Structure formats: structure tokens, C-alpha cells
Amino acid sequence: MAKLKMTGRIISQEMISPDIYSMWLSAPEIAGQAAPGQFISLYCEDSGRILPRPISICEIDKEKGALRIVYRIAGEGTREFSQKQPGGTMDILGPLGNGFPMEETKGKRVFLMGGGIGIPPMLETAKQCLGEATAIAGYRDQNVFLKEEFEKAGKFVIATEDGSVGTRGNVMDAIRENHLEADLIFACGPAPMLRAIKAYAQEQDIPCYISMEERMACGIGACLACVCKSKEVDAHSQVHNKRICKDGPVFLSTEVEL
Amino acid sequence: MNMKVKIGGVEFKNPVMTASGTFGSGAEYSEFVDLNKLGAVVTKGVADVPWPGNPTPRIAEVHSGMMNAIGLQNPGVEVFCKRDIPYLQQFDTKVIVNVCGHAPEEYLAVVERLAQEPVDMLEINISCPNVNANFLAFGQDPKHVEELTAQIKKIAKQPVIMKLTPNVTDIAEIAKAAEAGGADAVSLINTLTGMKIDVNRRTFALANKTGGVSGPCVKPIAVRMVYQAAQAVKIPVIGMGGIQNAEDALEFILAGACAVAVGTANFINPYATLEIIDGIRDYMEKNQIEDIYELIGAVK
Ligand SMILES: Cc1cc2nc3c(=O)[nH]c(=O)nc-3n(C[C@H](O)[C@H](O)[C@H](O)COP(=O)(O)OP(=O)(O)OC[C@H]3O[C@@H](n4cnc5c(N)ncnc54)[C@H](O)[C@@H]3O)c2cc1C
Ligand SMILES: Cc1cc2nc3c(=O)[nH]c(=O)nc-3n(C[C@H](O)[C@H](O)[C@H](O)COP(=O)(O)O)c2cc1C
Ligand code: FES
């Protein structure tokens, strides 16, 4: 097991919602080692964009040696990715980060909560959950994506900000409206959502793991760009700065400041 | 064919090193790079005590480059000596420890602590433009550069490289000051102070407002400064700034660098250092160069 940089082949690419794309990449050496909640970093072809773009792993097909990513056009790099065609190639660094602690899901009722572009990594997590999974996804409007896939993987609950599908409001509103309960939470999404989930988990006194995001350069723990504030002294620098790319992106919610 | 170079009495198996702060202490990149093949590993800057660094965002991409304001986060010299030096000792490469501080006493404390350690050379960072303290103007004032160099040389048990900032009017004058203070070598360039504004959020891209620009976009400036420094001093010059491939490295060598360091390119391609070593070797073979010294400073 080791991280590597390799050239992956694009198997398929489709727009699954406005500005949101799904791509399957053939990358056997990375797919073979990948785990739910880990991410890869994708290099741009335009040499002016020197840093690779971190993107979560949405699905893993070990048999085919393939990875699925679902990404939103957020700027020029992701726009470049969206224009690529099947048969083309992408340089990939991975697998990166720690991923969700799947062994802890055994025999537990688990919430897998995703908001916006934080929804995709919860799919492979749902597929590999060893307990009773309820995926709860928060979208802006009726443009929901990955619905069939989540429904196939287990129980799936939707919240939309405008109320067009499922609960009106956010993932927390969906929990209350559906009287859902859990023993464990895994979550990925924007900071305000993670803050609310962290507070809820503390109130319920259940463990909660959240996936964090920060600007990255190396992606492997060497440059110290991507730190977050941690409760414990970090192993690397003996201060209170955990590296999201290496010590994370998944942290126990009580361990990090949001 | 000879690729070995000698700097401050230390022999390097080839002229390719890592640039401080971009390669940690080697452990993370060892999954990609056989450290035994490198001329040297130059570590992240280390201070007398742990430094927490700056708030995030600490980096931003700019066209053909990046900006960083990491703020010299490091575990302090004690942990560094117990953990990172023994780690690096396992490899057949030279170890250069980059040293930072807020004041002369802090630099001297680190240099003193490292005296008994199996370290091959020290690189003194007097140039990091990120930390907001007057002393970092050291690197911008020839008098201070000479004084600090002399103080460090007095107690250092290893040969000393002074790492220069490009944020000066006359780099030759600064290089001469380091030489006058007794430096065994100079290295350059550190990052160029820059700024990026996010027009959508109408704020600075970096929490620190300013950051150090590095990567391919700084290379022409770095080559020019290495040339000027090499013309000005007799001590060896280590060149860096935007080196991505062997051709870039050879530019620095031809301009007068005895060795080169690879920084931001590690983020672009984690195998960059090894590919550069192979590329220099290929170039020498193809052009029937017997000794790398035939190339060093060959362009006058
Ligand atoms: C661990 C992790 C997992 C992620 N997973 C996904 C995912 O599954 N799907 C998805 O759509 N997006 C994901 N992101 C966000 C994604 O990395 C950014 O949207 C992307 O880098 C934007 O690149 P760009 O060139 O299009 O935008 P630009 O704004 O042009 O990018 C400029 C620079 O900023 C960086 N950057 C911009 N936005 C972000 C951001 N939100 N986080 C980190 N770096 C950023 C870029 O990498 C690049 O270096 C993830 C981020 C992290 C850290
Ligand atoms: C993320 C990052 C961290 C750095 N940290 C240090 C440091 O701790 N000490 C130092 O002397 N230089 C530091 N530098 C400067 C580099 O060593 C190098 O001088 C500069 O980046 C130019 O080379 P490059 O374009 O190849 O990166 C850092 C650069 C980067 C990009
Ligand atoms: S991106 Fe370099 S340490 Fe995380």
C-alpha cells in the first residue's frame, strides 16, 4: 500500500445536475487501495494551474479498478475537467487521507449526512456500512443527484432548502421531521452544516465523524498548508494543528474546531 | 561521468536537493521518492520552540505558481532532533537543516542544539517574508546579514549556508555580506512577497494578506539573481526558484549554481526530484560532459 501518482483513463463523464458532473476513472492501482471518505487529487492539463484539485471518492469499483468522482464546477480547474471526454486521461494522486472508520459502524444505527457537494463521498460510505445506514442528503432545490444510487445502498432521506423534494430545510430538519435516531454519525458538507451536526451529536452524546476541507498544495502532509485547529497537540508539529490531507480529512467532531 | 559536487567541504552525490518547507523531513515523500538518490534533503525550517504558524487559508494558486503563508509551523528543535534526524539518518543522503528564528538568540539556540547532531549542513533562513517581525529584515540589510552570519559561524559545528531573500534591491551586495560574515555558501531564492485578492469574496486570498510566491513563474527572476550572486562571491551558490525539470535545473547550473533545490515542483509532480537527476545525467551523456563542474557557471 502506497500513495502514487498515475495517469487514469476516463471511462465515462456525464452532467448529473446543473454544473455537477460524474466521472468514472480507470485507475486500478489507486482504486485497489481506496476506502470510503478518502480523496484523490487531480492535475489540470493547463500548466498554468500547477496545483492538483482534491476531490472525494464517490464510489469504488475494485473489480474494474475504477473510481467515481462527482464534482461541481467551482472554477477553471473543475471546468477543465468537465470538458474531458471518455477515452481521455487524467493525472491522479492518491489515495489520500484517512477515510471514515468503517469498522465502527458494525451493529450501529448510522447517519451518513451529506450537504451539497459533500454528498458524493457518503455514497461509497453507505455501500460499505456494516450497520444500519440512513443516508441523509441536503440539496438546494429539485436538482437532486445520486438519488437512485443512495436508494440502492439503503435508507435515503432528502432535504431541500426550497422544499421541492423531501423535508423543507436542511439535514437537521430532516432528522427531526422523520424522528430519526442514530448511534453514530458520519458527515461531509459545508462548515455551518457540520457545526450543527457536531452540536446535535454532543447533545445526543453520540460519536460523530466529520470530513473537513481546506486549500491544499502537497496533499500528503508535507507542506502544512491544510491545517485545522485541533484539541489535542498534533503529532507533526506539537502545536494544535492537524493536517486535513494526512491526519484527516475525517476527524472526530469533538477533536477539531469548526 | 561525475555528478558529485562539494559545498563547504561536504560532498553531495549529485547536485539536486529538496527546497526547505516543501518536502517536510522527507517521510511523506518517501512513498514516492527513494531518498537515497537525492543529493540532500533540506528540511522544513526549525526553530528553538514549536511554532503554530499562520491562520488558514495558507496557500493560493497564482498563474504558473503559488503563494504561501504557512508561517513556519514547526515542532521545535527538540522534537526535530529526536524524531526527524534519526529518520533521515536511515538514508544515504546528506541532511541540511533549515533554521529559523525571531531573533539572533533563537537562531543561535537552534544552531547550538544541532551542534552534536549528525547533520551535514545548516541553512539559515533569514528571508522568510511571512512572519511579521522586524528581525526578518536581517536578510534585507547587508550589515545585519554579515553580523548574524558571523555570530552563527562562531558557534556552528556544521558548515553554514545563508539562504537569501529576493526581496532586495541588490542581491550581490547581500551575497557579499554573507560571504564577509564567513558563510560557507549561499542559497537563493526564497519566495517573493506577493498578494492575491479574491474578487468574488472581496478579500485577500490568504489569511495573512501577503504570501511568498514560488513555482515556475518566479524562475527568470531566480536565474538572474543566482547569476548575480555567483558573479559577486567566491563561495558556492545553491540555486532554486521554479525548477520543474532538468532543463530548468541546468539553467541555474549554467548561471553559476553549484547545486539546485526543487520546491514547489514536488507538489506538481512528487517524482520531480528524481526525474531532474536523471535528466541532468542524460543531458551530460548526450553532450559528452565528463564532469558537472564543466557546466557550473559556464555561461558568463
Ligand atoms: C478533501 C477535499 C475533498 C473535496 N471533494 C470534492 C468533491 O467530491 N467534489 C467537488 O466538487 N469538490 C470537492 N472539493 C472541493 C474542490 O477541491 C474544489 O472545488 C476545487 O479544487 C476547485 O478547483 P477549481 O480550479 O475549479 O477552482 P479555483 O477556484 O480556480 O481553484 C483555485 C485554487 O483553489 C483551490 N480550491 C478552490 N476551492 C477549493 C475548495 N473548496 N477546497 C479546497 N481547495 C479549493 C483549488 O484546488 C486551486 O488550487 C474537495 C476539497 C477537499 C479539500
Ligand atoms: C509551502 C512552502 C513552504 C516553505 N517553507 C520554507 C521554510 O520553512 N524555510 C525556507 O527557508 N524556505 C521555505 N520555502 C521556500 C522554498 O524553500 C524555496 O526557496 C522557494 O519556494 C522557491 O523555490 P520553488 O519555486 O522551487 O518552490 C517554502 C516554500 C513553500 C512553497
Ligand atoms: S496539503 Fe500539504 S500538508 Fe496538507
Side-chain angles (χ1 to χ4, degrees):
Chain A
M1 290 258 292
K3 300 180 192 85
L4 67 143
K5 183 188 173 205
M6 64 174 291
T7 303
R9 198 175 42 78
I10 300 168
I11 301 168
S12 66
Q13 159 111 287
E14 59 174 324
M15 192 173 93
I16 58 172
S17 191
D19 274 352
I20 295 190
Y21 287 76
S22 162
M23 184 191 279
W24 274 100
L25 280 159
S26 169
E29 293 84 346
I30 295 175
Q33 312 175 37
Q38 286 192 300
F39 64 101
I40 54 178
S41 235
L42 295 161
Y43 294 85
C44 297
E45 216 157 292
D46 182 329
S47 63
R49 292 193 274 275
I50 63 166
L51 299 175
R53 273 51 178 167
I55 304 284
S56 304
I57 295 170
C58 171
E59 277 192 88
I60 306 163
D61 185 336
K62 297 225 173 188
E63 247 160 59
K64 291 208 185 93
L67 292 171
R68 183 185 192 182
I69 54 167
V70 168
Y71 61 95
R72 177 169 53 206
I73 297 185
E76 288 312 309
T78 43
R79 185 176 309 283
E80 181 193 306
F81 300 162
S82 73
Q83 284 155 3
K84 299 211 164 218
Q85 302 294 326
T89 59
M90 294 269 267
D91 282 346
I92 316 171
L93 182 71
L96 305 176
N98 56 359
F100 286 106
M102 298 312 295
E103 64 295 341
E104 292 198 23
T105 61
K106 218 178 259 169
K108 299 247 179 71
R109 295 171 301 168
V110 192
F111 283 166
L112 306 172
M113 307 175 79
I117 205 62
I119 295 168
M122 305 324 289
L123 180 56
E124 186 62 32
T125 313
K127 287 168 66 182
Q128 294 197 25
C129 181
L130 305 169
E132 186 194 314
T134 304
I136 308 165
Y139 302 89
R140 194 165 300 150
D141 49 33
Q142 80 279 4
N143 291 310
V144 302
F145 50 90
L146 297 175
K147 183 165 176 276
E148 292 78 47
E149 288 91 330
F150 271 106
E151 281 170 350
K152 227 185 276 169
K155 192 168 171 194
F156 187 49
V157 177
I158 294 177
T160 51
E161 281 168 31
D162 66 359
S164 52
V165 188
T167 300
R168 176 189 296 272
N170 58 31
V171 287
M172 294 311 305
D173 298 317
I175 293 179
R176 282 182 221 111
E177 187 174 290
N178 295 290
H179 308 289
L180 300 173
E181 283 179 20
D183 313 305
L184 175 65
I185 300 178
F186 290 172
C188 182
M193 171 187 131
L194 296 180
R195 261 180 234 123
I197 295 174
K198 174 178 176 172
Y200 170 80
Q202 259 160 329
E203 212 177 274
Q204 302 284 316
D205 198 22
I206 54 177
C208 172
Y209 289 87
I210 56 178
S211 183
M212 309 261 289
E213 208 180 275
E214 188 47 80
R215 303 288 151 136
M216 294 181 178
C218 72
I220 63 170
C223 75
L224 308 178
C226 67
V227 298
C228 62
K229 288 271 152 234
S230 59
K231 201 174 78 190
E232 308 266 303
V233 162
D234 63 277
H236 182 278
S237 300
Q238 316 283 307
V239 284
H240 291 265
N241 283 345
K242 296 232 170 162
R243 296 163 294 178
I244 291 176
C245 70
K246 169 114 181 159
D247 308 316
V250 177
F251 297 96
L252 198 55
S253 65
T254 48
E255 165 58 24
V256 287
E257 268 176 38
L258 274 166
Chain B
M1 187 174 72
N2 175 50
M3 281 181 78
K4 291 195 198 96
V5 295
K6 215 166 182 179
I7 301 171
V10 179
E11 190 177 89
F12 298 84
K13 64 173 75 164
N14 65 59
V16 179
M17 309 174 171
T18 62
S20 175
T22 64
F23 207 77
S25 287
E28 291 84 10
Y29 274 101
S30 68
E31 280 188 64
F32 300 89
V33 174
D34 179 357
L35 303 185
N36 296 303
K37 295 198 168 146
L38 299 176
V41 172
V42 182
T43 70
K44 171 78 188 161
V46 62
D48 54 345
V49 294
W51 286 10
N54 287 329
T56 56
R58 289 178 169 186
I59 59 144
E61 189 179 70
V62 296
H63 200 273
S64 292
M66 63 176 286
M67 281 180 15
N68 89 83
I70 306 294
L72 295 170
Q73 178 183 325
N74 78 87
V77 70
E78 261 329 299
V79 170
F80 179 84
C81 288
K82 293 207 174 79
R83 178 187 66 194
D84 299 40
I85 294 177
Y87 174 79
L88 284 167
Q89 275 308 107
Q90 306 170 70
F91 300 95
D92 176 24
T93 187
K94 299 294 178 204
V95 177
I96 301 179
V97 177
N98 185 279
V99 178
C100 56
H102 295 112
E105 310 81 77
E106 295 180 14
Y107 282 105
L108 294 172
V110 180
V111 170
E112 198 162 18
R113 176 64 185 84
L114 290 170
Q116 306 309 322
E117 296 289 333
V119 163
D120 297 292
M121 285 187 101
L122 307 177
E123 181 181 60
I124 312 298
N125 177 8
I126 50 166
S127 39
C128 183
N130 290 329
V131 176
N132 212 359
N134 293 333
F135 77 94
L136 277 179
F138 264 136
Q140 295 176 314
D141 179 336
K143 209 171 90 235
H144 290 158
V145 171
E146 184 174 339
E147 272 170 25
L148 183 66
T149 308
Q151 279 178 298
I152 288 172
K153 275 303 287 178
K154 219 179 274 165
I155 62 161
K157 290 286 184 294
Q158 294 92 354
V160 171
I161 306 161
M162 296 306 277
K163 182 164 178 183
L164 311 186
T165 173
N167 302 310
V168 296
T169 313
D170 182 1
I171 196 72
E173 181 191 33
I174 305 284
K176 279 188 200 150
E179 184 177 47
D184 298 280
V186 290
S187 59
L188 69 160
I189 62 172
N190 207 313
T191 54
L192 285 143
T193 305
M195 179 179 283
K196 179 178 177 172
I197 289 172
D198 182 330
V199 297
N200 294 314
R201 293 189 302 128
R202 293 190 199 145
T203 175
F204 302 99
L206 299 177
N208 189 56
K209 297 183 184 176
T210 61
V213 183
S214 64
C217 64
V218 308
K219 196 189 74 180
I221 301 168
V223 172
R224 182 263 294 176
M225 288 197 163
V226 164
Y227 175 80
Q228 289 176 326
Q231 294 292 310
V233 296
K234 294 196 180 61
I235 52 177
V237 175
I238 301 168
M240 71 195 83
I243 296 175
Q244 275 201 91
N245 52 41
E247 194 178 322
D248 295 339
L250 285 158
E251 268 195 70
F252 281 85
I253 292 169
L254 290 166
C258 233
V260 295
V262 179
T264 303
N266 294 302
F267 310 151
I268 310 174
N269 171 15
Y271 310 111
T273 44
L274 299 185
E275 290 174 10
I276 291 168
I277 295 167
D278 290 344
I280 295 174
R281 188 179 297 113
D282 289 349
Y283 175 91
M284 288 175 66
E285 260 164 27
K286 211 168 88 205
N287 294 283
Q288 293 163 351
I289 309 284
E290 281 304 316
D291 190 330
I292 187 97
Y293 277 92
E294 292 171 41
L295 297 173
I296 296 170
V299 173
K300 301 267 193 272

